[in-house]
Amino acid sequence: MYLFENAIRNIFRNKGRNIILALVTFLIIFAAAVSFFISGATASMIRNTRTQFGNQATIELKDETASTGGLEVAAYLKYGASDLLCKTEYSMTAYGRLDSLRALDEEAPDGQANTILAATSRTDLGDDFRKGLRSITRGKAPEKKGECLISEEFAALNSLSIGSQIKLLPADTGRTGTAEFTVSGIYSDNSVNGTGGQPGMPLYNRNNEIITTIETAAAIDFMADSIGRQFNAVYFLKSSDQLDAFQNELLEKGLPAAYTVSANEEEYRQVVAPIEKLSKISNIFLLVVLLLGTFVLVLISVMSMRERKYEVGVLRAMGMKKPKVLLGMLTETLAVTAVCLLFGLLAGAVAAQPVANTLIQQAAQVNIHMTAPIIGQISMVALLLAGLSSTAGILYITRFEPNKILSERN
């Protein structure tokens, strides 16, 4: 108990020296905390992203130059009926012609395609709605077969409201058929491209898009090979190691040999690349901080012990054993380090998020969290620094015997 009380008194007796030691220790722990928080967050995000995209499978051509007729929408839907999947996401766009209605930016009806039918299986209607670029202002999203969403501008131009009927004709004037929709909701487009403003080019105006469910679009015969048709299917496996099993199942269901099932590796790399870069930067920064910080702390410790050499000589001459003298000095360093660790952790946790956002330049969102393993790692670094700096000073001072120290003083 005496050693602890005396160590605390010594800290306040030597304020100037200990303030410098505390400041340097705080800066090192703060920088290390920021690096550990960022590294922990990026490592977790990389694992989660690998799990997410490793579970996503798409059907692609083995040879993009190969000539094929393409897969039917019905085939994609059939492949999605698998026990290996936890969910599927389908999306499709195709051109069409409005029957007895006008499109925005259409100067005069000319029998050409003037609207885009956009279909999705997602309950959130896709990224535009999820990110707030589009929002439903009246009614609700299409749920039943034949329901659709239209824009506020398109509804105003044609005096349409909830429950109004819309007829769509094939984009190819040489084909016959009619698709009928009931307006279930009206959306607002808040994106930069949502205003159109190109007379004579209605297909470039996003507010002409009619949004419906994938089941509704797939049931329209003339949409199967309509002009401008694009279909995308993403299959979410229950486990990333089931990719081969899923491919074998699709082959049994009739998937042509020209196609293969692959994980979404390209999108994974696009998402992970900036995160990996941030992780490397933080690790290099941590290494530099620890090397320079340890050197500075050792230097301060040795200089401090030179000033305290006479104090050590007196204590030893009074009969205090060498281990107790050294334990008291180590206690002083640990007490200063503990206070710096507390404030360094708090400051590091606050600063890590803005630092991460600045370094990654908004390429992805990295969420910083203070977790027990990270706190343990930072605490170990703090103890290691305290141990190294104290050891250097202790090794310096223990070279001298009490009589020699006192004689040099005299």
Side-chain angles (χ1 to χ4, degrees):
M1 190 65 183
Y2 167 77
L3 285 176
F4 179 76
E5 293 177 353
N6 186 61
I8 299 302
R9 284 197 293 269
N10 281 338
I11 292 176
F12 289 98
R13 288 193 194 108
N14 304 286
K15 294 185 182 68
R17 179 177 65 240
N18 287 315
I19 287 176
I20 295 175
L21 177 64
L23 181 61
V24 174
T25 304
F26 167 78
L27 291 176
I28 295 172
I29 294 176
F30 168 72
V34 171
S35 298
F36 273 116
F37 283 131
I38 293 176
S39 295
T42 53
S44 176
M45 189 170 182
I46 290 173
R47 287 194 301 270
N48 294 337
T49 304
R50 165 51 71 185
T51 300
Q52 174 187 352
F53 287 99
N55 288 1
Q56 293 185 21
T58 56
I59 299 174
E60 300 176 356
L61 274 171
K62 294 180 180 179
D63 183 2
E64 295 184 357
T65 61
S67 176
T68 65
L71 295 175
E72 297 291 338
V73 174
Y76 285 105
L77 299 180
K78 180 179 68 173
Y79 299 150
S82 170
D83 292 335
L84 300 177
L85 304 177
C86 57
K87 68 172 183 177
T88 56
E89 288 184 0
Y90 304 110
S91 61
M92 186 181 82
T93 58
Y95 297 162
R97 290 181 295 134
L98 294 166
D99 184 15
S100 304
L101 296 175
R102 288 192 59 192
L104 297 161
D105 293 334
E106 185 178 35
E107 295 179 333
D110 56 6
Q112 300 298 316
N114 56 4
T115 188
I116 293 178
L117 181 67
T120 179
S121 64
R122 290 174 55 169
T123 56
D124 62 0
L125 300 179
D127 291 340
D128 283 349
F129 284 88
R130 182 178 61 82
K131 295 177 180 179
L133 298 178
R134 283 177 168 176
S135 59
I136 298 176
T137 55
R138 281 177 284 167
K140 61 182 180 64
E143 297 174 352
K144 300 177 182 178
K145 186 176 179 180
E147 291 184 336
C148 72
L149 275 176
I150 59 174
S151 71
E152 291 178 329
E153 289 79 0
F154 181 79
L157 177 65
N158 293 283
S159 301
L160 301 174
S161 60
I162 306 299
S164 296
Q165 300 295 310
I166 296 176
K167 291 184 179 181
L168 198 62
L169 304 175
D172 184 356
T173 55
R175 300 190 62 179
T176 59
T178 303
E180 296 186 3
F181 301 90
T182 301
V183 177
S184 65
I186 296 176
Y187 68 86
S188 171
D189 195 309
N190 308 311
S191 67
V192 176
N193 297 324
T195 56
Q198 301 184 58
M201 304 182 72
L203 290 177
Y204 285 85
N205 193 324
R206 281 165 49 100
N207 284 303
N208 282 326
E209 288 187 10
I210 299 173
I211 302 172
T212 188
T213 64
I214 197 71
E215 290 79 12
T216 298
I220 303 174
D221 293 336
F222 62 79
M223 283 294 172
D225 56 355
S226 175
I227 298 173
R229 197 212 78 172
Q230 293 183 348
F231 187 87
N232 184 56
V234 180
Y235 303 97
F236 293 81
L237 297 166
K238 293 179 180 178
S239 175
S240 57
D241 58 8
Q242 295 177 328
L243 184 64
D244 291 339
F246 181 59
Q247 175 164 305
N248 292 333
E249 180 180 323
L250 297 197
L251 291 173
E252 293 177 359
K253 288 183 177 181
L255 179 68
Y259 290 88
T260 184
V261 179
S262 60
N264 202 340
E265 186 69 23
E266 181 178 352
E267 191 169 352
Y268 165 77
R269 295 308 313 170
Q270 290 177 352
V271 174
V272 166
I275 304 173
E276 290 180 336
K277 181 179 180 181
L278 175 59
S279 180
K280 291 179 181 178
I281 293 174
S282 66
N283 290 335
I284 293 173
F285 177 71
L286 175 62
L287 180 61
V288 173
V289 166
L290 291 180
L291 291 176
L292 292 180
T294 301
F295 173 78
V296 172
L297 281 179
V298 169
L299 183 61
I300 293 175
S301 179
V302 172
M303 294 177 64
S304 172
M305 288 300 177
R306 291 188 62 179
E307 296 177 6
R308 300 183 65 180
K309 187 163 63 173
Y310 180 71
E311 175 190 341
V312 173
V314 171
L315 292 174
R316 295 280 286 112
M318 290 172 59
M320 183 175 287
K321 300 295 183 181
K322 184 185 295 185
K324 288 188 176 182
V325 174
L326 302 182
L327 182 60
M329 293 182 173
L330 182 60
T331 302
E332 293 177 32
T333 304
L334 290 176
V336 173
T337 302
V339 175
C340 295
L341 175 62
L342 175 61
F343 287 100
L345 277 172
L346 295 175
V350 172
Q353 187 68 63
V355 170
N357 291 341
T358 300
L359 290 176
I360 209 166
Q361 296 179 347
Q362 307 301 323
Q365 183 63 38
V366 177
N367 295 316
I368 305 297
H369 299 288
M370 183 183 292
T371 61
I374 293 178
I375 294 176
Q377 291 173 349
I378 299 172
S379 300
M380 289 298 297
V381 169
L383 291 174
L384 181 62
L385 291 174
L388 288 175
S389 60
S390 297
T391 300
I394 288 171
L395 290 176
Y396 171 81
I397 201 67
T398 52
R399 295 183 305 161
F400 304 98
E401 293 297 326
N403 293 334
K404 183 177 181 181
I405 294 174
L406 296 176
S407 64
E408 288 181 358
R409 176 75 173 184
N410 293 333

